[in-house]
Amino acid sequence: MPDIFHIPENISALMLRLEAAGYPSVIVGGCVRDSLLGQTPHDWDLATAATPNEMKTVLSDFRLLETGIRHGTLTALCGDTPVEITTFRKDGSYGDSRHPDTVIFTRSLQDDLARRDFTVNAMAYSPRTGLTDLFGGQEDLKKQTLRCVGEPQRRFSEDALRIARAMRFSAVLGFTIEPKTAQAMLALRDRLQFVARERLAQELKRLLTGQDAARVLGEFAPIVAEIIAELSPCMTQQQHNPHHFGTVWEHTLAALDHAKPELPVRLAVLLHDVAKPRCFSMDENGVGHFYGHAAVSSKMAGEICRNLRLDNALRERVMCLVRYHDGPIIGNEKLLRRRLRQLGEEAFFQLLEVQKADTCGLAEPYPSQRLPLLEETEQLARKILAEGACFSMKQLAISGKDLIAAGVQSGPEIGRILKRLLEAVSEGEIDNNLDNLLNFAQQIRLKE
């Protein structure tokens, strides 16, 4: 067992110091779970029987920060590395369905583990005492099952964020959620209204890039609708179109299951058809259409991202990918070059991934016909880029200073001419060298 846990030296040093002073100390939570799974932990959580004041005494030669002293947490700086140390505790009542009203420090590791969310997160380890597993966490790891510690209704009533955390763990680890735990999640989903949008967004982002994201979102669709209400109509909207099967939501999940696990791509796929219920119409032959849904979905995606307090760069990228998700991109090199210029290299290839995923979520024979064309488009785009094609202002062999030296007045005209020059070069109208660009700029000015 000890060989499984590769505890960093700074963590070990703190544990030994506290142990030597008579305060049992353990690593606990996710780092224990990940170590048992054979994974390298991202974070190491250290818990101890010492109170914050006792920690200050024992670790007086360390720089200590009172980062969460109300909840028993101090941060010790080991060189430049911060290490959080938390006193064993019991939580009081949760008046806001999110945070304990009171925290009671305890000398009992069992009390501390009993307050935690899931059995796989409620294990502790120290080199001195070995593994402490009081609630069957190891067995649940073997079964790949996520189960609450104690009564699920109580766990989720205490802290509603645990509902989203359960979905995230299930998606990332590929674990199923034990039936009673799943039932409690669904029954108490309305309590997510008490959770800050930023915290829900953090869980959603990690969930979306998980290996089983589509499965989890499908199993817990009512919870998804609680977090993103705009997706609710998609869950019942039939498409009535030979290219599609099932509801808009079923198509979305099928596409998501084939999407590259990259956040902008997965989030764009989740939201790419969010406006379809608003844009639905049926023709005289009983065929459903969703005219203009990409533009409306892009706008709605922006509002959803803003509501989730996602950063501007991610929001704008998702809006862009949703806007162009069903736009033409194959079979036309000139159009391909234009998209590369409009979107930039990174966003262009993300758009290809969104279109591939969207295609995989369609009814046959459409995927079989379109996927090879998208692969050819990707290969052609990479070939064009490898040949040094110009798709950004900084790649142009001319600058604003060159235009000013050639007699162009400083101001908006400079940007307009550079934009037209970039368009001409990217689409192969002229070669990217200074003389050609200066001559072309002169022609642009003469035409005005």
Side-chain angles (χ1 to χ4, degrees):
M1 184 70 71
D3 292 337
I4 297 174
F5 299 93
H6 304 288
I7 303 174
E9 289 184 8
N10 56 343
I11 305 289
S12 293
L14 290 167
M15 292 176 72
L16 287 171
R17 179 75 68 86
L18 289 162
E19 290 274 358
Y23 302 110
S25 300
V26 294
I27 56 169
V28 67
C31 58
V32 178
R33 178 198 68 229
D34 292 344
S35 295
L36 289 170
L37 289 172
Q39 301 172 1
T40 301
H42 297 291
D43 299 299
W44 292 85
D45 295 322
L46 180 54
T48 180
T51 65
N53 285 335
E54 289 165 343
M55 282 189 256
K56 289 179 182 179
T57 300
V58 175
L59 304 175
S60 59
D61 54 333
F62 287 84
R63 185 182 173 197
L64 299 175
L65 306 177
E66 296 185 358
T67 47
I69 196 165
R70 178 173 173 266
H71 295 98
T73 301
L74 294 178
T75 297
L77 294 179
C78 301
D80 295 328
T81 305
V83 178
E84 285 193 351
I85 314 171
T86 302
T87 304
F88 297 156
R89 74 184 204 204
K90 295 188 291 186
D91 294 339
S93 59
Y94 286 72
D96 63 356
S97 292
R98 180 68 184 92
H99 305 96
D101 299 323
T102 58
V103 168
I104 304 165
F105 299 148
T106 175
R107 302 293 188 185
S108 168
L109 173 59
Q110 179 173 349
D111 287 343
D112 188 81
L113 296 178
R115 70 178 178 82
R116 295 178 180 267
D117 51 9
F118 309 111
T119 61
V120 297
N121 295 336
M123 294 180 284
Y125 173 81
S126 83
R128 184 177 63 82
T129 59
L131 183 71
T132 301
D133 177 14
L134 304 175
F135 304 101
Q138 282 188 99
E139 186 63 26
D140 284 340
L141 281 182
K142 291 176 184 177
K143 294 178 180 177
Q144 296 190 324
T145 297
L146 205 64
R147 180 167 57 90
C148 279
V149 174
E151 176 53 47
Q153 291 271 348
R154 177 180 177 183
R155 289 283 87 91
F156 296 127
S157 295
E158 290 171 342
D159 182 358
L161 182 63
R162 289 169 174 164
I163 297 172
R165 280 170 57 83
M167 293 173 64
R168 186 250 294 182
F169 284 126
S170 182
V172 172
L173 297 174
F175 285 15
T176 57
I177 298 178
E178 178 266 333
K180 288 185 178 179
T181 298
Q183 291 166 12
M185 290 165 61
L186 290 164
L188 296 172
R189 64 186 183 273
D190 62 331
R191 289 178 177 265
L192 288 169
Q193 65 184 298
F194 300 113
V195 180
R197 303 300 290 175
E198 294 90 340
R199 292 295 290 116
L200 287 175
Q202 289 176 20
E203 297 299 330
L204 179 64
K205 288 191 292 184
R206 296 170 73 178
L207 185 165
L208 278 175
T209 54
Q211 58 180 313
D212 278 2
R215 173 185 63 81
V216 172
L217 294 175
E219 289 177 0
F220 296 96
I223 298 175
V224 177
E226 195 72 36
I227 299 171
I228 304 176
E230 294 88 342
L231 285 172
S232 183
C234 298
M235 296 171 185
T236 55
Q237 178 66 61
Q238 295 292 334
Q239 302 191 78
H240 303 285
N241 189 291
H243 289 316
H244 295 280
F245 61 87
T247 63
V248 174
W249 181 239
E250 288 169 327
H251 159 70
T252 297
L253 294 178
L256 194 67
D257 203 33
H258 289 88
K260 185 177 181 179
E262 185 177 340
L263 181 59
V265 173
R266 287 275 177 97
L267 187 53
V269 171
L270 179 67
L271 302 177
H272 76 287
D273 283 347
V274 67
K276 272 191 170 181
R278 296 187 184 186
C279 299
F280 177 72
S281 64
M282 188 177 288
D283 64 25
E284 63 276 9
N285 297 315
V287 177
H289 301 280
F290 303 94
Y291 298 119
H293 82 276
V296 183
S297 291
S298 177
K299 182 178 179 181
M300 290 178 67
E303 293 169 353
I304 290 166
C305 290
R306 190 175 287 108
N307 184 252
L308 288 170
R309 312 289 193 270
L310 298 178
D311 65 82
N312 290 336
L314 178 58
R315 174 175 56 82
E316 290 171 5
R317 176 59 55 86
V318 168
M319 289 180 68
C320 173
L321 297 176
V322 173
R323 176 67 182 85
Y324 290 107
H325 81 269
D326 68 345
I329 200 173
I330 58 179
N332 186 323
E333 183 173 338
K334 186 173 182 178
L335 175 60
L336 187 156
R337 288 175 174 272
R338 186 175 301 157
R339 286 286 182 261
L340 276 167
R341 185 186 74 250
Q342 290 173 334
L343 305 178
E345 182 177 342
E346 182 182 60
F348 175 83
F349 287 110
Q350 288 176 341
L351 178 61
L352 270 176
E353 294 298 332
V354 170
Q355 291 207 359
K356 288 178 190 176
D358 190 21
T359 300
C360 288
L362 300 177
E364 286 290 0
Y366 199 62
S368 298
Q369 296 169 349
R370 183 174 169 80
L371 281 174
L373 298 177
L374 286 169
E375 294 292 345
E376 290 175 12
T377 299
E378 180 175 356
Q379 293 173 14
L380 177 57
R382 295 195 184 281
K383 178 176 179 291
I384 291 170
L385 289 168
E387 292 171 349
C390 175
F391 293 107
S392 67
M393 292 288 189
K394 65 181 181 181
Q395 292 177 296
L396 281 174
I398 193 171
S399 67
K401 291 181 180 178
D402 295 320
L403 291 176
I404 292 171
V408 180
Q409 186 175 356
S410 179
E413 187 178 9
I414 296 289
R416 184 178 55 78
I417 292 175
L418 286 173
K419 184 177 179 181
R420 178 66 185 95
L421 291 174
L422 177 60
E423 179 182 323
V425 170
S426 67
E427 296 188 10
E429 293 180 47
I430 58 172
D431 291 332
N432 186 25
N433 66 66
L434 183 58
D435 289 340
N436 284 348
L437 292 169
L438 286 171
N439 289 334
F440 198 81
Q442 187 64 25
Q443 293 174 34
I444 295 171
R445 297 178 70 199
L446 290 174
K447 288 180 182 179
E448 297 175 345

